[in-house]
Amino acid sequence: MKKYLLLLLFLAGCSHITTDMEDTMSAPSGAREDKGSVSPVFVNKEYLVADDSVFGMVRYYEVRDSDSLIEIARAFDLGFNEISDANPETDPFVPENGTRVEVPTEWILPDVKVRDGIIINISERRLFLFPNKNSKFVYTYPIGIGDNGTETPKGTFKIIQKRVNPNWNVPKSIRKEDPKLPNVVPPGPDNPLGTHALRLSLPTVLIHGTNRPWGIGRKVSHGCIQLYPEDIPRLFDQVEVGTRVTIVRQPVKVGTRGNKVYLEVHRDGKRNYLREALNLLRKKNLLDRVDSESINQAVHEKSGVPMVISD
């Protein structure tokens, strides 16, 4: 009963906790004090990738005062899927105080031909932004995606419109599901588009904020891509009309940093993850540098965290 009561309190925005970070940078003064959740640490959104395809670092957090994984994820700018997959033995809603939580702020870049504009990997529910073509810097944000039956589509598109405080013109298909909805929802706390929206060249699909931040890292939309309320204004300012948007589905990623080879595996339906991993390693001419036991472990765990698999 306590577990579900705390969940309801969190969804209502009533939770309030403090933090004590381990192996992290300290929280900036005045940061997100109005969010009613774990105080955020300084999470770098800009990373130098240069010739490497692996970036960031794994951190750790010690649970206290009944922190939930939902709140910890948001404090570190992670989606719920990322924090829960990295900590499968931890109760996501009421973890025990003192639990050491792995914070997976490390990633392998999606495998694309051109590093340009926005790249979205549906499988890991994360957005990567390269400010210009073949940039050596990348920005990254967690996202919510389309639910089963209304999946976010793959493909290459462009941003065709930017809107601040957008109206939500409710599609007929959604009004059939909920006849109480009006034709148009004006800007405000009840608007599911949040404060900013980017319209893609793909009809009916937007990249936008949300009034339900606990949906980040989940399948929650009718195809649109959602960002945390604190992330969408920054992304909005970083892109222009005409920015390229590439959406891929890559549950298995292989990358290198220095002399090490990494494998990152995400849960994404029934598929042969091992075969995909071996094919990628072969494609990148890395198969002779890796350890089979480490590959099997990464495929078995599907933690979403890059794992070193080289000898």
Side-chain angles (χ1 to χ4, degrees):
M1 180 65 70
K2 178 183 176 184
K3 177 188 300 186
Y4 299 107
L5 177 59
L6 287 175
L7 174 60
L8 290 173
L9 287 174
F10 172 72
L11 297 184
C14 298
S15 59
H16 178 75
I17 36 191
T18 58
T19 63
D20 182 19
M21 299 297 170
E22 175 186 347
D23 297 338
T24 66
M25 305 181 83
S26 59
S29 60
R32 278 192 13 218
E33 293 176 351
D34 61 332
K35 294 298 184 291
S37 62
V38 176
S39 299
V41 297
F42 174 74
V43 179
N44 183 22
K45 301 184 194 310
E46 180 187 52
Y47 296 85
L48 175 65
V49 291
D51 296 327
D52 292 326
S53 52
V54 182
F55 63 98
M57 61 177 288
V58 173
R59 296 176 168 89
Y60 294 90
Y61 175 87
E62 185 175 306
V63 174
R64 60 182 298 179
D65 298 331
S66 300
D67 303 349
S68 75
L69 292 192
I70 300 173
E71 295 160 312
I72 296 169
R74 187 175 182 185
F76 284 92
D77 206 34
L78 295 168
F80 179 68
N81 65 310
E82 295 174 295
I83 199 79
S84 58
D85 286 350
N87 299 276
E89 303 301 321
T90 302
D91 188 312
F93 304 120
V94 192
E96 293 185 10
N97 286 343
T99 300
R100 192 169 186 256
V101 174
E102 184 173 359
V103 180
T105 47
E106 184 176 38
W107 303 275
I108 298 176
L109 291 172
D111 187 9
V112 294
K113 292 182 179 179
V114 181
R115 295 180 179 178
D116 182 27
I118 291 173
I119 300 168
I120 292 169
N121 186 5
I122 297 171
S123 297
E124 64 181 309
R125 299 164 204 175
R126 180 157 282 272
L127 179 153
F128 303 85
L129 169 66
F130 291 92
N132 49 65
K133 190 174 182 179
N134 294 316
S135 171
K136 294 187 180 298
F137 289 91
V138 64
Y139 298 81
T140 184
Y141 304 95
I143 58 173
I145 61 171
D147 200 353
N148 295 330
T150 56
E151 290 87 353
T152 300
K154 297 184 297 181
T156 301
F157 314 98
K158 289 184 178 181
I159 294 173
I160 62 172
Q161 186 182 50
K162 298 174 62 177
R163 295 290 301 274
V164 177
N165 294 323
N167 291 319
W168 181 38
N169 298 304
V170 186
K172 292 181 179 179
S173 59
I174 296 180
R175 282 194 284 117
K176 284 184 179 180
E177 297 175 11
D178 187 356
K180 296 180 181 179
L181 286 171
N183 291 333
V184 179
V185 177
D190 296 327
N191 190 321
L193 300 186
T195 59
H196 298 73
L198 304 167
R199 183 173 297 279
L200 302 188
S201 52
L202 177 68
T204 73
V205 174
L206 304 171
I207 300 173
H208 61 79
T210 181
N211 62 345
R212 297 181 177 181
W214 55 87
I216 302 303
R218 302 174 187 263
K219 296 180 178 182
V220 291
S221 77
H222 285 75
C224 289
I225 297 106
Q226 303 179 356
L227 277 76
Y228 281 126
E230 58 270 22
D231 284 345
I232 188 62
R234 181 168 185 172
L235 177 66
F236 187 92
D237 290 339
Q238 289 175 310
V239 299
E240 303 293 339
V241 170
T243 295
R244 179 188 181 103
V245 178
T246 303
I247 304 176
V248 299
R249 185 175 182 179
Q250 296 179 4
V252 179
K253 297 187 295 178
V254 168
T256 57
R257 180 158 56 185
N259 295 322
K260 295 182 178 180
V261 181
Y262 291 76
L263 176 62
E264 179 181 328
V265 183
H266 295 267
R267 302 176 189 278
D268 188 8
K270 295 181 178 180
R271 51 202 310 140
N272 193 325
Y273 295 92
L274 179 58
R275 180 183 297 170
E276 291 187 38
L278 294 175
N279 286 341
L280 275 174
L281 289 164
R282 189 176 295 109
K283 172 185 174 183
K284 295 176 180 292
N285 296 317
L286 296 171
L287 200 54
D288 60 344
R289 293 174 52 187
V290 299
D291 172 65
S292 59
E293 289 187 9
S294 298
I295 296 173
N296 287 329
Q297 181 181 351
V299 169
H300 173 72
E301 292 182 359
K302 299 180 185 64
S303 66
V305 182
M307 180 179 293
V308 177
I309 59 170
S310 49
D311 293 326

mmCIF file of all heavy atoms in Angstrom, residues 229-272:
data_model
loop_
_atom_site.group_PDB
_atom_site.id
_atom_site.type_symbol
_atom_site.label_atom_id
_atom_site.label_comp_id
_atom_site.label_asym_id
_atom_site.label_seq_id
_atom_site.Cartn_x
_atom_site.Cartn_y
_atom_site.Cartn_z
ATOM 1 N N PRO A 229 10.088 19.097 -19.399
ATOM 2 C CA PRO A 229 9.798 20.537 -19.497
ATOM 3 C C PRO A 229 11.046 21.409 -19.428
ATOM 4 O O PRO A 229 11.090 22.476 -20.046
ATOM 5 C CB PRO A 229 8.876 20.791 -18.302
ATOM 6 C CG PRO A 229 8.215 19.478 -18.056
ATOM 7 C CD PRO A 229 9.258 18.430 -18.363
ATOM 8 N N GLU A 230 12.063 20.977 -18.679
ATOM 9 C CA GLU A 230 13.284 21.772 -18.565
ATOM 10 C C GLU A 230 14.235 21.557 -19.736
ATOM 11 O O GLU A 230 15.177 22.337 -19.938
ATOM 12 C CB GLU A 230 14.006 21.469 -17.251
ATOM 13 C CG GLU A 230 14.399 20.026 -17.045
ATOM 14 C CD GLU A 230 13.335 19.191 -16.353
ATOM 15 O OE1 GLU A 230 12.145 19.576 -16.391
ATOM 16 O OE2 GLU A 230 13.690 18.146 -15.778
ATOM 17 N N ASP A 231 14.031 20.507 -20.550
ATOM 18 C CA ASP A 231 14.910 20.222 -21.685
ATOM 19 C C ASP A 231 14.422 20.840 -22.994
ATOM 20 O O ASP A 231 15.226 21.265 -23.829
ATOM 21 C CB ASP A 231 15.053 18.708 -21.875
ATOM 22 C CG ASP A 231 15.981 18.070 -20.857
ATOM 23 O OD1 ASP A 231 16.730 18.815 -20.196
ATOM 24 O OD2 ASP A 231 15.957 16.828 -20.723
ATOM 25 N N ILE A 232 13.121 20.888 -23.195
ATOM 26 C CA ILE A 232 12.601 21.319 -24.496
ATOM 27 C C ILE A 232 12.959 22.765 -24.832
ATOM 28 O O ILE A 232 13.277 23.047 -25.996
ATOM 29 C CB ILE A 232 11.061 21.076 -24.596
ATOM 30 C CG1 ILE A 232 10.571 21.345 -26.027
ATOM 31 C CG2 ILE A 232 10.289 21.883 -23.583
ATOM 32 C CD1 ILE A 232 11.158 20.457 -27.085
ATOM 33 N N PRO A 233 12.984 23.725 -23.884
ATOM 34 C CA PRO A 233 13.374 25.081 -24.288
ATOM 35 C C PRO A 233 14.806 25.154 -24.813
ATOM 36 O O PRO A 233 15.098 25.901 -25.742
ATOM 37 C CB PRO A 233 13.206 25.908 -23.004
ATOM 38 C CG PRO A 233 12.283 25.126 -22.150
ATOM 39 C CD PRO A 233 12.584 23.689 -22.459
ATOM 40 N N ARG A 234 15.696 24.366 -24.212
ATOM 41 C CA ARG A 234 17.085 24.390 -24.655
ATOM 42 C C ARG A 234 17.227 23.791 -26.053
ATOM 43 O O ARG A 234 17.891 24.375 -26.922
ATOM 44 C CB ARG A 234 17.961 23.627 -23.666
ATOM 45 C CG ARG A 234 19.429 23.632 -24.051
ATOM 46 C CD ARG A 234 20.316 23.135 -22.945
ATOM 47 N NE ARG A 234 21.720 23.269 -23.317
ATOM 48 C CZ ARG A 234 22.736 23.059 -22.502
ATOM 49 N NH1 ARG A 234 22.506 22.721 -21.250
ATOM 50 N NH2 ARG A 234 23.972 23.185 -22.920
ATOM 51 N N LEU A 235 16.605 22.634 -26.287
ATOM 52 C CA LEU A 235 16.653 22.051 -27.623
ATOM 53 C C LEU A 235 16.033 23.007 -28.640
ATOM 54 O O LEU A 235 16.558 23.180 -29.742
ATOM 55 C CB LEU A 235 15.914 20.710 -27.643
ATOM 56 C CG LEU A 235 15.824 20.037 -29.013
ATOM 57 C CD1 LEU A 235 17.205 19.618 -29.503
ATOM 58 C CD2 LEU A 235 14.888 18.838 -28.977
ATOM 59 N N PHE A 236 14.925 23.628 -28.278
ATOM 60 C CA PHE A 236 14.225 24.570 -29.154
ATOM 61 C C PHE A 236 15.180 25.663 -29.631
ATOM 62 O O PHE A 236 15.182 26.045 -30.814
ATOM 63 C CB PHE A 236 13.039 25.174 -28.400
ATOM 64 C CG PHE A 236 12.136 26.029 -29.223
ATOM 65 C CD1 PHE A 236 11.021 25.488 -29.858
ATOM 66 C CD2 PHE A 236 12.371 27.395 -29.368
ATOM 67 C CE1 PHE A 236 10.172 26.276 -30.617
ATOM 68 C CE2 PHE A 236 11.522 28.191 -30.116
ATOM 69 C CZ PHE A 236 10.420 27.630 -30.744
ATOM 70 N N ASP A 237 15.992 26.192 -28.712
ATOM 71 C CA ASP A 237 16.919 27.275 -29.052
ATOM 72 C C ASP A 237 18.127 26.782 -29.837
ATOM 73 O O ASP A 237 18.823 27.577 -30.477
ATOM 74 C CB ASP A 237 17.402 27.978 -27.778
ATOM 75 C CG ASP A 237 16.310 28.793 -27.107
ATOM 76 O OD1 ASP A 237 15.326 29.140 -27.786
ATOM 77 O OD2 ASP A 237 16.450 29.088 -25.895
ATOM 78 N N GLN A 238 18.410 25.487 -29.790
ATOM 79 C CA GLN A 238 19.595 24.940 -30.448
ATOM 80 C C GLN A 238 19.375 24.592 -31.913
ATOM 81 O O GLN A 238 20.343 24.340 -32.635
ATOM 82 C CB GLN A 238 20.070 23.681 -29.704
ATOM 83 C CG GLN A 238 20.682 23.960 -28.345
ATOM 84 C CD GLN A 238 21.004 22.670 -27.613
ATOM 85 O OE1 GLN A 238 20.158 21.774 -27.510
ATOM 86 N NE2 GLN A 238 22.209 22.558 -27.092
ATOM 87 N N VAL A 239 18.129 24.531 -32.354
ATOM 88 C CA VAL A 239 17.850 24.094 -33.721
ATOM 89 C C VAL A 239 17.112 25.176 -34.499
ATOM 90 O O VAL A 239 16.523 26.089 -33.920
ATOM 91 C CB VAL A 239 17.021 22.792 -33.731
ATOM 92 C CG1 VAL A 239 17.779 21.668 -33.035
ATOM 93 C CG2 VAL A 239 15.662 22.999 -33.062
ATOM 94 N N GLU A 240 17.151 25.046 -35.804
ATOM 95 C CA GLU A 240 16.479 25.987 -36.698
ATOM 96 C C GLU A 240 15.532 25.233 -37.620
ATOM 97 O O GLU A 240 15.626 24.014 -37.759
ATOM 98 C CB GLU A 240 17.514 26.744 -37.542
ATOM 99 C CG GLU A 240 18.568 27.495 -36.738
ATOM 100 C CD GLU A 240 17.981 28.657 -35.950
ATOM 101 O OE1 GLU A 240 16.871 29.120 -36.317
ATOM 102 O OE2 GLU A 240 18.626 29.110 -34.990
ATOM 103 N N VAL A 241 14.622 25.967 -38.245
ATOM 104 C CA VAL A 241 13.801 25.376 -39.299
ATOM 105 C C VAL A 241 14.737 24.863 -40.394
ATOM 106 O O VAL A 241 15.678 25.546 -40.797
ATOM 107 C CB VAL A 241 12.813 26.414 -39.863
ATOM 108 C CG1 VAL A 241 12.127 25.882 -41.121
ATOM 109 C CG2 VAL A 241 11.781 26.787 -38.812
ATOM 110 N N GLY A 242 14.513 23.656 -40.824
ATOM 111 C CA GLY A 242 15.381 23.021 -41.811
ATOM 112 C C GLY A 242 16.355 22.026 -41.223
ATOM 113 O O GLY A 242 17.006 21.271 -41.964
ATOM 114 N N THR A 243 16.474 21.988 -39.873
ATOM 115 C CA THR A 243 17.376 21.030 -39.231
ATOM 116 C C THR A 243 16.969 19.599 -39.577
ATOM 117 O O THR A 243 15.796 19.237 -39.530
ATOM 118 C CB THR A 243 17.364 21.219 -37.702
ATOM 119 O OG1 THR A 243 17.894 22.505 -37.379
ATOM 120 C CG2 THR A 243 18.202 20.156 -37.017
ATOM 121 N N ARG A 244 17.931 18.795 -39.915
ATOM 122 C CA ARG A 244 17.718 17.386 -40.262
ATOM 123 C C ARG A 244 17.341 16.597 -39.004
ATOM 124 O O ARG A 244 17.933 16.780 -37.933
ATOM 125 C CB ARG A 244 19.005 16.834 -40.879
ATOM 126 C CG ARG A 244 18.991 15.368 -41.282
ATOM 127 C CD ARG A 244 20.412 14.971 -41.676
ATOM 128 N NE ARG A 244 20.508 13.587 -42.096
ATOM 129 C CZ ARG A 244 20.597 13.181 -43.364
ATOM 130 N NH1 ARG A 244 20.593 14.083 -44.334
ATOM 131 N NH2 ARG A 244 20.707 11.905 -43.673
ATOM 132 N N VAL A 245 16.376 15.687 -39.133
ATOM 133 C CA VAL A 245 15.956 14.815 -38.030
ATOM 134 C C VAL A 245 15.965 13.380 -38.548
ATOM 135 O O VAL A 245 15.183 13.027 -39.440
ATOM 136 C CB VAL A 245 14.556 15.184 -37.506
ATOM 137 C CG1 VAL A 245 14.144 14.221 -36.396
ATOM 138 C CG2 VAL A 245 14.520 16.621 -37.004
ATOM 139 N N THR A 246 16.832 12.553 -37.981
ATOM 140 C CA THR A 246 16.951 11.153 -38.376
ATOM 141 C C THR A 246 16.454 10.289 -37.231
ATOM 142 O O THR A 246 16.959 10.389 -36.109
ATOM 143 C CB THR A 246 18.404 10.793 -38.710
ATOM 144 O OG1 THR A 246 18.890 11.666 -39.738
ATOM 145 C CG2 THR A 246 18.505 9.345 -39.177
ATOM 146 N N ILE A 247 15.474 9.443 -37.502
ATOM 147 C CA ILE A 247 14.907 8.567 -36.477
ATOM 148 C C ILE A 247 15.238 7.123 -36.831
ATOM 149 O O ILE A 247 14.895 6.645 -37.913
ATOM 150 C CB ILE A 247 13.383 8.750 -36.359
ATOM 151 C CG1 ILE A 247 13.045 10.218 -36.077
ATOM 152 C CG2 ILE A 247 12.819 7.866 -35.246
ATOM 153 C CD1 ILE A 247 11.555 10.515 -36.030
ATOM 154 N N VAL A 248 15.928 6.438 -35.917
ATOM 155 C CA VAL A 248 16.354 5.060 -36.149
ATOM 156 C C VAL A 248 15.858 4.181 -35.007
ATOM 157 O O VAL A 248 15.423 4.668 -33.961
ATOM 158 C CB VAL A 248 17.891 4.952 -36.260
ATOM 159 C CG1 VAL A 248 18.404 5.771 -37.435
ATOM 160 C CG2 VAL A 248 18.567 5.395 -34.950
ATOM 161 N N ARG A 249 15.935 2.893 -35.214
ATOM 162 C CA ARG A 249 15.609 1.914 -34.179
ATOM 163 C C ARG A 249 16.789 0.967 -34.054
ATOM 164 O O ARG A 249 16.947 0.044 -34.851
ATOM 165 C CB ARG A 249 14.335 1.151 -34.526
ATOM 166 C CG ARG A 249 13.871 0.189 -33.424
ATOM 167 C CD ARG A 249 12.544 -0.448 -33.778
ATOM 168 N NE ARG A 249 12.079 -1.329 -32.712
ATOM 169 C CZ ARG A 249 10.925 -1.999 -32.755
ATOM 170 N NH1 ARG A 249 10.131 -1.880 -33.816
ATOM 171 N NH2 ARG A 249 10.577 -2.775 -31.741
ATOM 172 N N GLN A 250 17.647 1.206 -33.061
ATOM 173 C CA GLN A 250 18.875 0.441 -32.891
ATOM 174 C C GLN A 250 19.001 -0.037 -31.444
ATOM 175 O O GLN A 250 19.609 0.636 -30.605
ATOM 176 C CB GLN A 250 20.081 1.297 -33.280
ATOM 177 C CG GLN A 250 20.099 1.693 -34.757
ATOM 178 C CD GLN A 250 21.299 2.560 -35.129
ATOM 179 O OE1 GLN A 250 22.174 2.831 -34.319
ATOM 180 N NE2 GLN A 250 21.333 3.007 -36.379
ATOM 181 N N PRO A 251 18.437 -1.196 -31.124
ATOM 182 C CA PRO A 251 18.541 -1.716 -29.762
ATOM 183 C C PRO A 251 19.940 -2.187 -29.396
ATOM 184 O O PRO A 251 20.280 -2.304 -28.219
ATOM 185 C CB PRO A 251 17.558 -2.882 -29.748
ATOM 186 C CG PRO A 251 17.473 -3.310 -31.169
ATOM 187 C CD PRO A 251 17.628 -2.074 -31.988
ATOM 188 N N VAL A 252 20.769 -2.472 -30.405
ATOM 189 C CA VAL A 252 22.141 -2.936 -30.178
ATOM 190 C C VAL A 252 23.090 -1.926 -30.821
ATOM 191 O O VAL A 252 22.960 -1.607 -32.002
ATOM 192 C CB VAL A 252 22.371 -4.332 -30.784
ATOM 193 C CG1 VAL A 252 23.813 -4.786 -30.552
ATOM 194 C CG2 VAL A 252 21.387 -5.340 -30.191
ATOM 195 N N LYS A 253 24.038 -1.428 -30.016
ATOM 196 C CA LYS A 253 25.024 -0.473 -30.517
ATOM 197 C C LYS A 253 26.422 -0.924 -30.116
ATOM 198 O O LYS A 253 26.625 -1.451 -29.032
ATOM 199 C CB LYS A 253 24.760 0.929 -29.954
ATOM 200 C CG LYS A 253 23.421 1.517 -30.393
ATOM 201 C CD LYS A 253 23.287 2.974 -29.962
ATOM 202 C CE LYS A 253 23.256 3.113 -28.457
ATOM 203 N NZ LYS A 253 23.167 4.539 -28.035
ATOM 204 N N VAL A 254 27.363 -0.703 -31.015
ATOM 205 C CA VAL A 254 28.772 -1.030 -30.778
ATOM 206 C C VAL A 254 29.575 0.244 -30.957
ATOM 207 O O VAL A 254 29.318 1.035 -31.879
ATOM 208 C CB VAL A 254 29.256 -2.107 -31.767
ATOM 209 C CG1 VAL A 254 30.773 -2.241 -31.721
ATOM 210 C CG2 VAL A 254 28.598 -3.448 -31.453
ATOM 211 N N GLY A 255 30.546 0.474 -30.067
ATOM 212 C CA GLY A 255 31.369 1.667 -30.167
ATOM 213 C C GLY A 255 32.743 1.460 -29.589
ATOM 214 O O GLY A 255 33.044 0.420 -28.980
ATOM 215 N N THR A 256 33.597 2.458 -29.773
ATOM 216 C CA THR A 256 34.956 2.402 -29.251
ATOM 217 C C THR A 256 35.296 3.698 -28.541
ATOM 218 O O THR A 256 34.782 4.769 -28.879
ATOM 219 C CB THR A 256 35.991 2.171 -30.373
ATOM 220 O OG1 THR A 256 35.867 3.218 -31.352
ATOM 221 C CG2 THR A 256 35.771 0.829 -31.050
ATOM 222 N N ARG A 257 36.134 3.577 -27.538
ATOM 223 C CA ARG A 257 36.729 4.747 -26.888
ATOM 224 C C ARG A 257 38.167 4.357 -26.553
ATOM 225 O O ARG A 257 38.386 3.438 -25.769
ATOM 226 C CB ARG A 257 35.956 5.149 -25.635
ATOM 227 C CG ARG A 257 36.573 6.371 -24.945
ATOM 228 C CD ARG A 257 35.588 7.101 -24.062
ATOM 229 N NE ARG A 257 34.998 6.250 -23.055
ATOM 230 C CZ ARG A 257 34.021 6.649 -22.228
ATOM 231 N NH1 ARG A 257 33.519 7.879 -22.328
ATOM 232 N NH2 ARG A 257 33.537 5.826 -21.331
ATOM 233 N N GLY A 258 39.108 5.071 -27.166
ATOM 234 C CA GLY A 258 40.497 4.671 -27.030
ATOM 235 C C GLY A 258 40.696 3.297 -27.637
ATOM 236 O O GLY A 258 40.281 3.030 -28.768
ATOM 237 N N ASN A 259 41.279 2.388 -26.885
ATOM 238 C CA ASN A 259 41.531 1.026 -27.377
ATOM 239 C C ASN A 259 40.459 0.035 -26.949
ATOM 240 O O ASN A 259 40.597 -1.158 -27.205
ATOM 241 C CB ASN A 259 42.900 0.543 -26.880
ATOM 242 C CG ASN A 259 44.045 1.352 -27.461
ATOM 243 O OD1 ASN A 259 44.002 1.735 -28.625
ATOM 244 N ND2 ASN A 259 45.065 1.617 -26.653
ATOM 245 N N LYS A 260 39.411 0.519 -26.295
ATOM 246 C CA LYS A 260 38.389 -0.380 -25.767
ATOM 247 C C LYS A 260 37.174 -0.448 -26.690
ATOM 248 O O LYS A 260 36.783 0.550 -27.298
ATOM 249 C CB LYS A 260 37.957 0.068 -24.378
ATOM 250 C CG LYS A 260 39.060 -0.029 -23.330
ATOM 251 C CD LYS A 260 38.561 0.390 -21.955
ATOM 252 C CE LYS A 260 39.663 0.249 -20.910
ATOM 253 N NZ LYS A 260 39.183 0.663 -19.557
ATOM 254 N N VAL A 261 36.570 -1.636 -26.758
ATOM 255 C CA VAL A 261 35.347 -1.859 -27.534
ATOM 256 C C VAL A 261 34.178 -2.015 -26.563
ATOM 257 O O VAL A 261 34.292 -2.717 -25.555
ATOM 258 C CB VAL A 261 35.461 -3.120 -28.415
ATOM 259 C CG1 VAL A 261 34.187 -3.321 -29.232
ATOM 260 C CG2 VAL A 261 36.679 -3.023 -29.328
ATOM 261 N N TYR A 262 33.065 -1.353 -26.880
ATOM 262 C CA TYR A 262 31.896 -1.355 -26.007
ATOM 263 C C TYR A 262 30.682 -1.906 -26.747
ATOM 264 O O TYR A 262 30.543 -1.740 -27.965
ATOM 265 C CB TYR A 262 31.557 0.063 -25.546
ATOM 266 C CG TYR A 262 32.556 0.690 -24.602
ATOM 267 C CD1 TYR A 262 33.775 1.171 -25.073
ATOM 268 C CD2 TYR A 262 32.275 0.840 -23.244
ATOM 269 C CE1 TYR A 262 34.695 1.769 -24.219
ATOM 270 C CE2 TYR A 262 33.184 1.435 -22.381
ATOM 271 C CZ TYR A 262 34.381 1.910 -22.874
ATOM 272 O OH TYR A 262 35.277 2.508 -22.017
ATOM 273 N N LEU A 263 29.788 -2.532 -25.971
ATOM 274 C CA LEU A 263 28.518 -3.030 -26.496
ATOM 275 C C LEU A 263 27.394 -2.515 -25.592
ATOM 276 O O LEU A 263 27.477 -2.626 -24.369
ATOM 277 C CB LEU A 263 28.515 -4.558 -26.528
ATOM 278 C CG LEU A 263 27.221 -5.248 -26.973
ATOM 279 C CD1 LEU A 263 26.855 -4.876 -28.400
ATOM 280 C CD2 LEU A 263 27.361 -6.771 -26.835
ATOM 281 N N GLU A 264 26.361 -1.962 -26.201
ATOM 282 C CA GLU A 264 25.201 -1.424 -25.464
ATOM 283 C C GLU A 264 23.936 -2.084 -26.020
ATOM 284 O O GLU A 264 23.689 -2.035 -27.220
ATOM 285 C CB GLU A 264 25.135 0.092 -25.637
ATOM 286 C CG GLU A 264 23.982 0.778 -24.945
ATOM 287 C CD GLU A 264 23.999 2.284 -25.196
ATOM 288 O OE1 GLU A 264 25.106 2.854 -25.347
ATOM 289 O OE2 GLU A 264 22.924 2.900 -25.255
ATOM 290 N N VAL A 265 23.154 -2.716 -25.133
ATOM 291 C CA VAL A 265 21.981 -3.462 -25.574
ATOM 292 C C VAL A 265 20.749 -2.975 -24.815
ATOM 293 O O VAL A 265 20.755 -2.904 -23.581
ATOM 294 C CB VAL A 265 22.148 -4.981 -25.355
ATOM 295 C CG1 VAL A 265 20.936 -5.732 -25.901
ATOM 296 C CG2 VAL A 265 23.442 -5.477 -26.014
ATOM 297 N N HIS A 266 19.681 -2.641 -25.556
ATOM 298 C CA HIS A 266 18.413 -2.170 -24.979
ATOM 299 C C HIS A 266 17.300 -3.170 -25.271
ATOM 300 O O HIS A 266 17.257 -3.782 -26.343
ATOM 301 C CB HIS A 266 18.029 -0.810 -25.577
ATOM 302 C CG HIS A 266 18.987 0.281 -25.220
ATOM 303 N ND1 HIS A 266 18.797 1.102 -24.135
ATOM 304 C CD2 HIS A 266 20.149 0.682 -25.813
ATOM 305 C CE1 HIS A 266 19.796 1.970 -24.073
ATOM 306 N NE2 HIS A 266 20.628 1.731 -25.068
ATOM 307 N N ARG A 267 16.381 -3.296 -24.333
ATOM 308 C CA ARG A 267 15.217 -4.165 -24.521
ATOM 309 C C ARG A 267 14.288 -3.524 -25.537
ATOM 310 O O ARG A 267 13.824 -2.402 -25.354
ATOM 311 C CB ARG A 267 14.485 -4.351 -23.193
ATOM 312 C CG ARG A 267 15.354 -4.944 -22.105
ATOM 313 C CD ARG A 267 14.613 -5.026 -20.777
ATOM 314 N NE ARG A 267 15.531 -5.409 -19.711
ATOM 315 C CZ ARG A 267 15.896 -6.653 -19.453
ATOM 316 N NH1 ARG A 267 15.397 -7.650 -20.179
ATOM 317 N NH2 ARG A 267 16.745 -6.920 -18.474
ATOM 318 N N ASP A 268 13.980 -4.252 -26.602
ATOM 319 C CA ASP A 268 13.118 -3.701 -27.648
ATOM 320 C C ASP A 268 12.450 -4.841 -28.408
ATOM 321 O O ASP A 268 12.718 -5.074 -29.589
ATOM 322 C CB ASP A 268 13.934 -2.813 -28.590
ATOM 323 C CG ASP A 268 13.042 -2.058 -29.569
ATOM 324 O OD1 ASP A 268 11.807 -2.102 -29.418
ATOM 325 O OD2 ASP A 268 13.587 -1.428 -30.492
ATOM 326 N N GLY A 269 11.583 -5.563 -27.708
ATOM 327 C CA GLY A 269 10.826 -6.619 -28.358
ATOM 328 C C GLY A 269 11.624 -7.887 -28.557
ATOM 329 O O GLY A 269 12.770 -8.032 -28.114
ATOM 330 N N LYS A 270 11.001 -8.839 -29.267
ATOM 331 C CA LYS A 270 11.637 -10.130 -29.521
ATOM 332 C C LYS A 270 12.516 -10.025 -30.750
ATOM 333 O O LYS A 270 12.034 -9.726 -31.836
ATOM 334 C CB LYS A 270 10.562 -11.221 -29.716
ATOM 335 C CG LYS A 270 9.730 -11.502 -28.468
ATOM 336 C CD LYS A 270 8.722 -12.610 -28.729
ATOM 337 C CE LYS A 270 7.916 -12.924 -27.477
ATOM 338 N NZ LYS A 270 6.913 -14.004 -27.717
ATOM 339 N N ARG A 271 13.812 -10.278 -30.569
ATOM 340 C CA ARG A 271 14.756 -10.223 -31.669
ATOM 341 C C ARG A 271 16.007 -10.990 -31.269
ATOM 342 O O ARG A 271 16.221 -11.294 -30.093
ATOM 343 C CB ARG A 271 15.095 -8.780 -32.044
ATOM 344 C CG ARG A 271 15.521 -7.928 -30.885
ATOM 345 C CD ARG A 271 15.329 -6.444 -31.161
ATOM 346 N NE ARG A 271 15.906 -6.047 -32.422
ATOM 347 C CZ ARG A 271 15.315 -5.176 -33.261
ATOM 348 N NH1 ARG A 271 14.131 -4.684 -32.960
ATOM 349 N NH2 ARG A 271 15.883 -4.828 -34.387
ATOM 350 N N ASN A 272 16.847 -11.272 -32.232
ATOM 351 C CA ASN A 272 18.083 -11.999 -31.960
ATOM 352 C C ASN A 272 19.190 -10.978 -31.665
ATOM 353 O O ASN A 272 19.928 -10.551 -32.549
ATOM 354 C CB ASN A 272 18.465 -12.875 -33.152
ATOM 355 C CG ASN A 272 19.555 -13.873 -32.814
ATOM 356 O OD1 ASN A 272 20.453 -13.580 -32.030
ATOM 357 N ND2 ASN A 272 19.480 -15.053 -33.407
#
